[in-house]
mmCIF file of all heavy atoms in Angstrom:
data_model
loop_
_atom_site.group_PDB
_atom_site.id
_atom_site.type_symbol
_atom_site.label_atom_id
_atom_site.label_comp_id
_atom_site.label_asym_id
_atom_site.label_seq_id
_atom_site.Cartn_x
_atom_site.Cartn_y
_atom_site.Cartn_z
ATOM 1 N N GLU Z 11 174.385 -105.641 160.173
ATOM 2 C CA GLU Z 11 174.285 -105.390 158.730
ATOM 3 C C GLU Z 11 172.917 -105.772 158.184
ATOM 4 O O GLU Z 11 172.339 -105.048 157.374
ATOM 5 C CB GLU Z 11 175.384 -106.146 157.981
ATOM 6 C CG GLU Z 11 176.759 -105.562 158.170
ATOM 7 C CD GLU Z 11 177.852 -106.370 157.493
ATOM 8 O OE1 GLU Z 11 177.624 -107.556 157.161
ATOM 9 O OE2 GLU Z 11 178.938 -105.802 157.291
ATOM 10 N N LEU Z 12 172.389 -106.901 158.621
ATOM 11 C CA LEU Z 12 171.066 -107.329 158.163
ATOM 12 C C LEU Z 12 169.976 -106.374 158.651
ATOM 13 O O LEU Z 12 169.078 -106.011 157.894
ATOM 14 C CB LEU Z 12 170.779 -108.764 158.617
ATOM 15 C CG LEU Z 12 169.475 -109.361 158.112
ATOM 16 C CD1 LEU Z 12 169.465 -109.424 156.581
ATOM 17 C CD2 LEU Z 12 169.283 -110.759 158.692
ATOM 18 N N ALA Z 13 170.070 -105.955 159.905
ATOM 19 C CA ALA Z 13 169.086 -105.006 160.423
ATOM 20 C C ALA Z 13 169.178 -103.674 159.673
ATOM 21 O O ALA Z 13 168.156 -103.070 159.335
ATOM 22 C CB ALA Z 13 169.322 -104.773 161.919
ATOM 23 N N GLY Z 14 170.380 -103.232 159.376
ATOM 24 C CA GLY Z 14 170.555 -102.008 158.605
ATOM 25 C C GLY Z 14 170.010 -102.139 157.190
ATOM 26 O O GLY Z 14 169.419 -101.212 156.657
ATOM 27 N N ALA Z 15 170.190 -103.308 156.588
ATOM 28 C CA ALA Z 15 169.675 -103.543 155.230
ATOM 29 C C ALA Z 15 168.157 -103.469 155.216
ATOM 30 O O ALA Z 15 167.557 -102.849 154.328
ATOM 31 C CB ALA Z 15 170.142 -104.905 154.726
ATOM 32 N N VAL Z 16 167.518 -104.074 156.207
ATOM 33 C CA VAL Z 16 166.058 -104.035 156.284
ATOM 34 C C VAL Z 16 165.594 -102.599 156.536
ATOM 35 O O VAL Z 16 164.656 -102.104 155.892
ATOM 36 C CB VAL Z 16 165.535 -104.997 157.374
ATOM 37 C CG1 VAL Z 16 164.057 -104.796 157.627
ATOM 38 C CG2 VAL Z 16 165.836 -106.435 156.988
ATOM 39 N N ALA Z 17 166.250 -101.902 157.446
ATOM 40 C CA ALA Z 17 165.851 -100.532 157.787
ATOM 41 C C ALA Z 17 166.069 -99.561 156.625
ATOM 42 O O ALA Z 17 165.369 -98.549 156.534
ATOM 43 C CB ALA Z 17 166.609 -100.064 159.025
ATOM 44 N N LEU Z 18 167.005 -99.845 155.738
ATOM 45 C CA LEU Z 18 167.223 -98.985 154.577
ATOM 46 C C LEU Z 18 165.997 -98.907 153.671
ATOM 47 O O LEU Z 18 165.805 -97.911 152.971
ATOM 48 C CB LEU Z 18 168.417 -99.471 153.747
ATOM 49 C CG LEU Z 18 169.785 -98.955 154.123
ATOM 50 C CD1 LEU Z 18 170.862 -99.625 153.279
ATOM 51 C CD2 LEU Z 18 169.877 -97.446 153.982
ATOM 52 N N VAL Z 19 165.187 -99.944 153.667
ATOM 53 C CA VAL Z 19 164.008 -99.940 152.795
ATOM 54 C C VAL Z 19 162.708 -99.634 153.554
ATOM 55 O O VAL Z 19 161.644 -99.702 152.971
ATOM 56 C CB VAL Z 19 163.880 -101.257 151.985
ATOM 57 C CG1 VAL Z 19 165.040 -101.395 151.011
ATOM 58 C CG2 VAL Z 19 163.809 -102.464 152.893
ATOM 59 N N VAL Z 20 162.814 -99.304 154.818
ATOM 60 C CA VAL Z 20 161.654 -98.838 155.586
ATOM 61 C C VAL Z 20 161.711 -97.301 155.548
ATOM 62 O O VAL Z 20 162.665 -96.709 156.059
ATOM 63 C CB VAL Z 20 161.695 -99.344 157.044
ATOM 64 C CG1 VAL Z 20 160.574 -98.749 157.867
ATOM 65 C CG2 VAL Z 20 161.683 -100.857 157.076
ATOM 66 N N PRO Z 21 160.723 -96.662 154.918
ATOM 67 C CA PRO Z 21 160.808 -95.214 154.721
ATOM 68 C C PRO Z 21 161.139 -94.394 155.959
ATOM 69 O O PRO Z 21 161.997 -93.519 155.897
ATOM 70 C CB PRO Z 21 159.408 -94.852 154.174
ATOM 71 C CG PRO Z 21 158.965 -96.086 153.482
ATOM 72 C CD PRO Z 21 159.505 -97.226 154.324
ATOM 73 N N ALA Z 22 160.518 -94.657 157.066
ATOM 74 C CA ALA Z 22 160.763 -93.849 158.268
ATOM 75 C C ALA Z 22 162.157 -94.064 158.858
ATOM 76 O O ALA Z 22 162.680 -93.210 159.544
ATOM 77 C CB ALA Z 22 159.706 -94.156 159.327
ATOM 78 N N LEU Z 23 162.768 -95.218 158.592
ATOM 79 C CA LEU Z 23 164.061 -95.548 159.181
ATOM 80 C C LEU Z 23 165.238 -95.408 158.225
ATOM 81 O O LEU Z 23 166.378 -95.604 158.630
ATOM 82 C CB LEU Z 23 164.024 -96.994 159.688
ATOM 83 C CG LEU Z 23 162.978 -97.327 160.744
ATOM 84 C CD1 LEU Z 23 162.994 -98.812 161.059
ATOM 85 C CD2 LEU Z 23 163.214 -96.510 161.985
ATOM 86 N N SER Z 24 164.998 -95.079 156.970
ATOM 87 C CA SER Z 24 166.053 -95.106 155.962
ATOM 88 C C SER Z 24 167.219 -94.174 156.269
ATOM 89 O O SER Z 24 168.372 -94.544 156.112
ATOM 90 C CB SER Z 24 165.484 -94.820 154.584
ATOM 91 O OG SER Z 24 164.829 -93.564 154.558
ATOM 92 N N GLY Z 25 166.948 -92.966 156.728
ATOM 93 C CA GLY Z 25 168.021 -92.029 157.035
ATOM 94 C C GLY Z 25 168.849 -92.465 158.231
ATOM 95 O O GLY Z 25 170.082 -92.416 158.210
ATOM 96 N N VAL Z 26 168.182 -92.927 159.268
ATOM 97 C CA VAL Z 26 168.878 -93.406 160.466
ATOM 98 C C VAL Z 26 169.690 -94.658 160.145
ATOM 99 O O VAL Z 26 170.811 -94.821 160.615
ATOM 100 C CB VAL Z 26 167.876 -93.668 161.604
ATOM 101 C CG1 VAL Z 26 168.540 -94.308 162.795
ATOM 102 C CG2 VAL Z 26 167.201 -92.380 162.015
ATOM 103 N N ALA Z 27 169.130 -95.538 159.311
ATOM 104 C CA ALA Z 27 169.842 -96.758 158.927
ATOM 105 C C ALA Z 27 171.116 -96.410 158.153
ATOM 106 O O ALA Z 27 172.162 -97.034 158.370
ATOM 107 C CB ALA Z 27 168.943 -97.650 158.079
ATOM 108 N N ALA Z 28 171.015 -95.417 157.270
ATOM 109 C CA ALA Z 28 172.204 -95.010 156.510
ATOM 110 C C ALA Z 28 173.277 -94.469 157.448
ATOM 111 O O ALA Z 28 174.474 -94.771 157.285
ATOM 112 C CB ALA Z 28 171.815 -93.974 155.463
ATOM 113 N N LEU Z 29 172.871 -93.694 158.444
ATOM 114 C CA LEU Z 29 173.842 -93.179 159.416
ATOM 115 C C LEU Z 29 174.468 -94.302 160.230
ATOM 116 O O LEU Z 29 175.689 -94.313 160.461
ATOM 117 C CB LEU Z 29 173.176 -92.171 160.345
ATOM 118 C CG LEU Z 29 172.776 -90.833 159.725
ATOM 119 C CD1 LEU Z 29 171.963 -90.015 160.706
ATOM 120 C CD2 LEU Z 29 174.006 -90.069 159.276
ATOM 121 N N ALA Z 30 173.661 -95.243 160.683
ATOM 122 C CA ALA Z 30 174.167 -96.354 161.492
ATOM 123 C C ALA Z 30 175.122 -97.223 160.672
ATOM 124 O O ALA Z 30 176.184 -97.631 161.168
ATOM 125 C CB ALA Z 30 173.011 -97.196 162.019
ATOM 126 N N LEU Z 31 174.770 -97.503 159.427
ATOM 127 C CA LEU Z 31 175.654 -98.318 158.584
ATOM 128 C C LEU Z 31 176.937 -97.562 158.236
ATOM 129 O O LEU Z 31 177.984 -98.180 158.046
ATOM 130 C CB LEU Z 31 174.920 -98.768 157.325
ATOM 131 C CG LEU Z 31 173.876 -99.870 157.546
ATOM 132 C CD1 LEU Z 31 173.028 -100.062 156.299
ATOM 133 C CD2 LEU Z 31 174.549 -101.170 157.937
ATOM 134 N N THR Z 32 176.869 -96.240 158.170
ATOM 135 C CA THR Z 32 178.082 -95.452 157.964
ATOM 136 C C THR Z 32 179.031 -95.637 159.143
ATOM 137 O O THR Z 32 180.244 -95.777 158.972
ATOM 138 C CB THR Z 32 177.742 -93.955 157.777
ATOM 139 O OG1 THR Z 32 176.882 -93.831 156.649
ATOM 140 C CG2 THR Z 32 178.996 -93.127 157.540
ATOM 141 N N GLY Z 33 178.475 -95.661 160.345
ATOM 142 C CA GLY Z 33 179.292 -95.935 161.542
ATOM 143 C C GLY Z 33 179.897 -97.319 161.493
ATOM 144 O O GLY Z 33 181.063 -97.519 161.861
ATOM 145 N N LEU Z 34 179.141 -98.289 161.023
ATOM 146 C CA LEU Z 34 179.661 -99.656 160.875
ATOM 147 C C LEU Z 34 180.796 -99.694 159.857
ATOM 148 O O LEU Z 34 181.785 -100.396 160.042
ATOM 149 C CB LEU Z 34 178.519 -100.587 160.463
ATOM 150 C CG LEU Z 34 178.695 -102.068 160.733
ATOM 151 C CD1 LEU Z 34 178.886 -102.341 162.209
ATOM 152 C CD2 LEU Z 34 177.497 -102.828 160.203
ATOM 153 N N MET Z 35 180.667 -98.895 158.795
ATOM 154 C CA MET Z 35 181.727 -98.827 157.775
ATOM 155 C C MET Z 35 182.980 -98.152 158.325
ATOM 156 O O MET Z 35 184.104 -98.499 157.943
ATOM 157 C CB MET Z 35 181.237 -98.105 156.520
ATOM 158 C CG MET Z 35 180.198 -98.870 155.733
ATOM 159 S SD MET Z 35 180.809 -100.457 155.114
ATOM 160 C CE MET Z 35 180.178 -101.608 156.334
#
């Protein structure tokens, strides 16, 4: 969750982070 939160605000990783956190949800 913390890694996903950080990646959500990194422009290049934001879309992938959203997908990964969706899987976590």
Side-chain angles (χ1 to χ4, degrees):
E11 287 176 342
L12 185 61
V16 170
L18 272 175
V19 294
V20 175
L23 300 176
S24 57
V26 173
L29 290 172
L31 287 169
T32 301
L34 201 60
M35 291 298 98

